[in-house]
Amino acid sequence: MIVVTGATGQLGRLVLKALLEKTSPSRVIAAVRSPDKAQDLKQAGVQVRAADYDRPETLAAAFAGAEKVLLISGNTLGKRVSQHRAVIDAARKAGVQLFAYTSVLKAPTTALMVGPDHRETEAAITASGLPSVVLRNGWYSENYLFRAAGAVKTGVLLGCAGEGRISAAPRADYAQAAATVLTSPNQAGRTYELAGDQSFTLAELAAELSRQIGRPMRYQNVTESEFTEALERNGIPSAYAPMMARSDALSAQGALLETGRQLSQLLGRATTPIGAVIEQAIRAGQIPKA
Ligand SMILES: NC(=O)c1ccc[n+]([C@@H]2O[C@H](COP(=O)([O-])OP(=O)(O)OC[C@H]3O[C@@H](n4cnc5c(N)ncnc54)[C@H](OP(=O)(O)O)[C@@H]3O)[C@@H](O)[C@H]2O)c1
């Protein structure tokens, strides 16, 4: 049985979708915080089990009979390491044969603010002795859609990434790679640095947006604190705005650039370019045309 935690999240749902294209639903378990959110997964033939990282007592039952577990990193800053430790401990007790974890690009050295949580989690996995595979995911392309939508209104895409190149890929690509890893032999001991094949600067992103919307749009580089303030003015909570601005500033120094193409190797195809992600977001109304 293959267990996926966080299966009702944005990445988790896409992992489930990709897994069901590769294996029978009877082999898949969706381990979720709120089973009531997973009725559709149940209807697709997937076993749904309650698994709350904050309630370790739920995890033993969730992992019973599991051959493989994918831990999708949690989204509660400040609590994630202890949550992840609880999951690792339960997987160890369940005798899981492959433990997969969604980490961050270049976890051992990254200066990104999420780096320490992922480093500590990777170390806990190693210390557990579990046979494991680490999926170090680069930035999601979707992280730029909020800004792209704002740029359509103002004609200006704001940021503090300078000329930094960003090797983003959409969640669906990372999800498909995770499903491949979970259904392929000989994955224990591997670490993948996963990112888009083609990197872009924010100026190039503005140009692509402009081309697709059919109106002039430009990138404006500002300081990190100016960008933080702009994000907060536009409704990003103050707990997240500094982190987003820091990520931008660090991408100016190459923190989000990766040229190893391991994601496309796992996918067996090129990764989805940012232009295609924008096109899809315009079609879905996530980026308004006017
Ligand atoms: N690479 C990137 O650019 C990037 C960007 C943002 C985040 N991330 C990381 O990647 C992860 C997946 O991304 P995403 O877009 O799928 O995030 P997401 O949509 O916020 O999903 C997070 C998942 O974690 C689950 N979760 C949170 N707390 C939990 C708990 N106590 N017990 C059990 N499950 C819990 C959520 O459950 P519910 O469905 O019940 O809410 C949700 O399913 C994030 O959590 C974060 O660690 C990466």
Side-chain angles (χ1 to χ4, degrees):
M1 299 294 275
I2 301 172
V3 177
V4 178
T5 73
T8 46
Q10 297 169 89
L11 182 67
R13 284 193 170 277
L14 293 167
V15 172
L16 262 283
K17 183 167 179 273
L19 265 180
L20 296 182
E21 282 163 15
K22 291 174 186 291
T23 191
S24 154
S26 62
R27 284 199 63 215
V28 180
I29 296 170
V32 301
R33 174 163 53 177
S34 312
D36 50 318
K37 281 193 204 164
Q39 291 307 323
D40 56 324
L41 297 175
K42 211 181 232 174
Q43 270 160 22
V46 169
Q47 222 186 102
V48 174
R49 294 183 181 172
D52 186 336
Y53 305 155
D54 290 324
R55 294 192 297 129
E57 69 279 8
T58 61
L59 300 172
F63 296 167
E67 182 196 339
K68 303 179 185 184
V69 169
L70 170 65
L71 166 58
I72 293 189
S73 49
N75 55 6
T76 314
L77 301 179
K79 273 179 86 177
R80 293 198 292 188
V81 177
S82 60
Q83 292 178 330
H84 294 168
R85 280 185 192 282
V87 174
I88 294 162
D89 197 42
R92 188 183 52 76
K93 287 181 181 148
V96 161
Q97 289 159 41
L98 185 73
F99 187 84
Y101 172 63
T102 61
S103 185
V104 70
L105 197 61
K106 304 175 196 168
T109 55
T110 187
L112 289 169
M113 286 168 87
V114 295
D117 281 1
H118 289 296
R119 273 195 285 279
E120 279 190 58
T121 302
E122 287 194 18
I125 294 168
T126 305
S128 74
L130 276 165
S132 61
V133 51
V134 181
L135 305 166
R136 290 190 183 142
N137 289 346
W139 245 216
Y140 300 151
S141 309
E142 289 89 341
N143 294 350
Y144 297 93
L145 297 181
F146 173 78
R147 253 191 275 187
V152 170
K153 288 185 200 144
T154 61
V156 176
L157 184 90
L158 211 59
C160 58
E163 294 295 305
R165 300 200 72 82
I166 297 157
S167 310
R171 283 187 184 86
D173 283 5
Y174 296 110
Q176 198 182 322
T180 297
V181 164
L182 289 168
T183 52
S184 300
N186 306 322
Q187 294 299 317
R190 298 192 187 204
T191 297
Y192 294 100
E193 299 285 352
L194 301 176
D197 291 340
Q198 293 162 7
S199 62
F200 55 87
T201 64
L202 293 188
E204 288 167 359
L205 175 62
E208 176 63 21
L209 200 53
S210 175
R211 189 185 69 75
Q212 291 199 31
I213 295 285
R215 283 200 310 278
M217 235 159 285
R218 67 184 171 86
Y219 173 59
Q220 188 181 336
N221 201 58
V222 295
T223 66
E224 191 175 335
S225 59
E226 283 168 338
F227 185 44
T228 307
E229 282 164 27
L231 286 169
E232 287 177 2
R233 266 199 315 278
N234 283 290
I236 300 292
S238 55
Y240 290 97
M243 199 165 84
M244 288 173 68
R246 193 86 275 264
S247 304
D248 236 42
L250 288 166
S251 67
Q253 299 160 31
L256 300 178
L257 177 65
E258 167 61 33
T259 55
R261 297 191 174 224
Q262 292 186 36
L263 179 54
S264 52
Q265 282 162 26
L266 275 177
L267 296 176
R269 59 164 171 84
T271 60
T272 308
I274 190 70
V277 177
I278 291 174
E279 210 176 296
Q280 162 64 23
I282 292 172
R283 245 185 287 126
Q286 283 171 284
I287 299 180
K289 280 215 115 176

